[in-house]
């Protein structure tokens, strides 16, 4: 009975902590928040949560919970998620809503994700022009490939507490790559093999936020991807067709994917920002990658991927309150950023 009372008190304090975070984030969004000694950042949230619940909570669940509040305070996660437990969808399947739709403007046709559940949103849309494909990834695990006839190849990724945060296409291996807050998913959308839908690389120590493919035509048996995380690191990962055979984990499958141990890969990384990496993109015309962050000091970086493997200075510039988005126009030869 005493343990039950202690847990109830700890849970009440945790919920009060979450309420304060939501109020803080809401004020920040409206420009009304003034930093003071009571500010709750990730380190304070992590230490307080560990004080309340001890070793019962894992790093990846704390990271995922914190980010869900920071990115969407109106849709707060349920408290069991801090322990890695989902309560399930209480609302079940719902009728299509604007958040659950992909709009193909050029074809003037609207496509509805009939399996995307309420409170789910599309987190990534990638166009693959030479194959006439459009790839989407929803936050709660629906990966979809549309062809030019708008026929759909779709998979529902059975998620733990981690959400999908980004996706892209691997042109040489012909896989869809997606990142969650703790794993890298490689979906073999072409294969008809019923025993496996692809591979998952895990565990990833830091919360992954975005991914992009490095487009190179020098080797048809491998693809390289860039990944950004919540601590400002950018990772460089090369995957070959041999890896699918040689680097499978002995632990077998997790969900519908075969597991590959992340420690079996050489994954160079470099800290380029002092805050979350909001977006990362490779520009073949420039042979450079760009990454951005809300960090006011190292807001935008544009350089060769070789800089991720050495410590030479990178080309960067600063913007007050950081950069949230950027793109490159080849015709005008300019890069445009948005804060």
């Amino acid at each position: 009975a005493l343990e039950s009372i202690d847990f109830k008190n700890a849970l009440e304090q945790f919920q009060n902590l979450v309420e304060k975070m939501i109020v803080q984030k809401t004020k920040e969004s409206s420009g009304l928040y003034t930093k003071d000694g009571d500010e709750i950042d990730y380190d304070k949230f992590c230490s307080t949560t560990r004080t309340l619940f001890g070793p019962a909570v894992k790093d990846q669940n704390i990271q995922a919970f914190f980010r869900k509040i920071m990115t969407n305070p109106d849709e707060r996660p349920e408290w069991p998620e801090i322990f890695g437990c989902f309560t399930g969808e209480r609302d079940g399947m719902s009728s299509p809503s604007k958040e659950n739709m992909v709009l193909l403007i050029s074809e003037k046709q609207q496509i509805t994700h009939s399996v995307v559940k309420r409170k789910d949103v599309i987190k990534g849309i990638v166009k693959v022009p030479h194959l006439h494909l459009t790839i989407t990834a929803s936050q709660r695990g629906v990966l979809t490939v549309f062809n030019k006839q708008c026929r759909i190849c779709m998979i529902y990724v059975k998620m733990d507490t981690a959400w999908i945060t980004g996706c892209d296409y691997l042109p040489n291996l012909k896989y869809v790559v997606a990142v969650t807050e703790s794993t890298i998913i490689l979906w073999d959308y072409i294969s008809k093999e019923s025993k496996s839908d692809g591979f998952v690389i895990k565990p990833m120590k830091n919360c992954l936020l975005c991914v992009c493919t490095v487009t190179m035509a020098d080797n048809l048996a491998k693809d390289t991807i860039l990944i950004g995380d919540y601590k400002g690191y950018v990772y460089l990962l090369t995957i070959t067709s041999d890896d699918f055979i040689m680097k499978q984990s002995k632990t077998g499958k997790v969900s519908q994917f075969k597991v590959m141990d992340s420690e079996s890969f050489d994954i160079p990384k470099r800290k380029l920002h002092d805050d979350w990496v909001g977006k990362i993109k490779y520009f073949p015309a420039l042979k450079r990658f760009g990454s951005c962050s809300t960090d006011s000091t190292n807001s935008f970086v544009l350089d060769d991927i070789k800089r991720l493997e050495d410590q030479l200075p990178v080309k960067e510039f600063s913007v007050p309150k950081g950069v949230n988005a950027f793109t490159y126009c080849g015709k005008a030869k300019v890069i445009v950023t948005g804060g």
Side-chain angles (χ1 to χ4, degrees):
L2 182 60
E3 290 183 358
S4 176
I5 294 173
D6 289 343
F7 178 77
K8 186 176 180 180
N9 290 336
L11 181 59
E12 185 176 340
Q13 292 181 56
F14 177 73
Q15 290 174 323
N16 289 336
L17 177 68
V18 172
E19 288 294 336
K20 290 180 181 178
M21 289 174 59
I22 292 173
V23 171
Q24 174 183 309
K25 183 61 180 177
T26 303
K27 288 184 177 180
E28 285 178 355
S29 300
S30 60
L32 300 176
Y33 182 73
T34 303
K35 290 188 177 183
D36 53 33
D38 293 329
E39 180 186 4
I40 303 173
D41 57 11
Y42 174 75
D43 291 334
K44 186 173 183 178
F45 175 75
C46 182
S47 62
T48 304
T49 302
R50 289 206 175 282
T51 300
L52 292 173
F53 300 122
V57 289
K58 297 180 180 179
D59 287 341
Q60 68 182 55
N61 294 328
I62 295 176
Q63 293 171 9
F65 199 99
F66 181 82
R67 184 172 181 273
K68 288 174 184 178
I69 294 174
M70 291 294 102
T71 54
N72 193 359
D74 294 331
E75 294 290 347
R76 71 185 69 184
E78 301 287 344
W79 67 262
E81 293 186 34
I82 199 67
F83 300 101
C85 302
F86 261 146
T87 57
E89 283 289 338
R90 292 173 296 179
D91 298 320
M93 305 299 286
S94 64
S95 58
S97 65
K98 290 182 180 179
E99 291 82 6
N100 297 339
M101 295 180 179
V102 178
L103 187 63
L104 301 181
I105 301 296
S106 62
E107 299 183 20
K108 296 183 175 63
Q109 184 169 359
Q110 188 168 275
I111 302 172
T112 301
H113 265 302
S114 60
V115 300
V116 174
K117 298 180 180 180
R118 188 176 299 174
K119 297 183 180 179
D120 199 0
V121 293
I122 299 298
K123 290 297 292 183
I125 300 179
V126 177
K127 188 76 173 177
V128 188
H130 67 286
L131 295 178
H132 304 288
L133 299 178
T134 300
I135 300 168
T136 69
S138 83
Q139 194 170 53
R140 297 202 174 185
V142 179
L143 298 177
T144 311
V145 176
F146 300 91
N147 63 17
K148 63 180 179 180
Q149 286 82 31
C150 296
R151 293 176 181 172
I152 298 175
C153 179
M154 182 166 49
I155 185 174
Y156 178 71
V157 182
K158 299 177 179 67
M159 307 294 290
D160 50 19
T161 57
W163 285 350
I164 285 182
T165 54
C167 67
D168 209 334
Y169 181 73
L170 304 182
N172 295 328
L173 298 176
K174 294 180 172 57
Y175 273 65
V176 173
V177 60
V179 291
T180 75
E181 291 160 331
S182 57
T183 61
I184 301 169
I185 297 169
L186 301 169
W187 174 32
D188 184 3
Y189 75 99
I190 297 177
S191 174
K192 303 299 182 182
E193 174 63 52
S194 60
K195 294 181 180 179
S196 174
D197 294 311
F199 301 86
V200 58
I201 301 174
K202 60 179 295 185
M204 301 299 292
K205 294 181 180 179
N206 290 345
C207 181
L208 308 181
L209 301 182
C210 50
V211 63
C212 78
T213 301
V214 177
T215 307
M216 295 181 179
D218 58 345
N219 194 318
L220 297 179
K222 70 177 183 180
D223 278 298
T224 298
I225 60 175
L226 299 171
I227 305 169
D229 76 11
Y230 84 110
K231 287 189 174 181
Y233 284 93
V234 173
Y235 301 75
L236 179 66
L237 171 60
T238 298
I239 304 168
T240 70
S241 56
D242 291 339
D243 292 335
F244 297 143
I245 301 172
M246 303 298 294
K247 295 185 178 180
Q248 284 191 40
S249 172
K250 295 181 180 179
T251 58
K253 289 176 62 178
V254 169
S255 183
Q256 67 266 56
F257 296 102
K258 295 177 182 177
V259 176
M260 292 195 289
D261 188 349
S262 61
E263 294 186 0
S264 66
F265 289 88
D266 179 23
I267 310 179
K269 68 176 182 178
R270 182 171 176 179
K271 187 174 178 65
L272 299 179
H273 307 280
D274 291 328
D275 206 340
W276 296 349
V277 180
K279 179 180 178 179
I280 192 162
K281 183 71 176 177
Y282 184 78
F283 301 112
L286 301 177
K287 296 183 179 179
R288 297 287 187 273
F289 77 92
S291 66
C292 69
S293 172
T294 52
D295 171 19
S296 296
T297 305
N298 307 307
S299 308
F300 180 72
V301 171
L302 180 69
D303 217 317
D304 195 299
I305 60 173
K306 294 178 181 178
R307 297 292 79 78
L308 300 177
E309 301 179 88
D310 57 37
Q311 294 302 315
L312 295 177
V314 294
K315 298 178 179 65
E316 61 187 7
F317 71 87
S318 305
V319 176
K321 297 186 179 181
V323 172
N324 290 315
F326 62 90
T327 191
Y328 170 69
C329 176
K331 185 176 293 186
K333 291 184 171 53
V334 296
I335 291 177
V336 181
T337 65

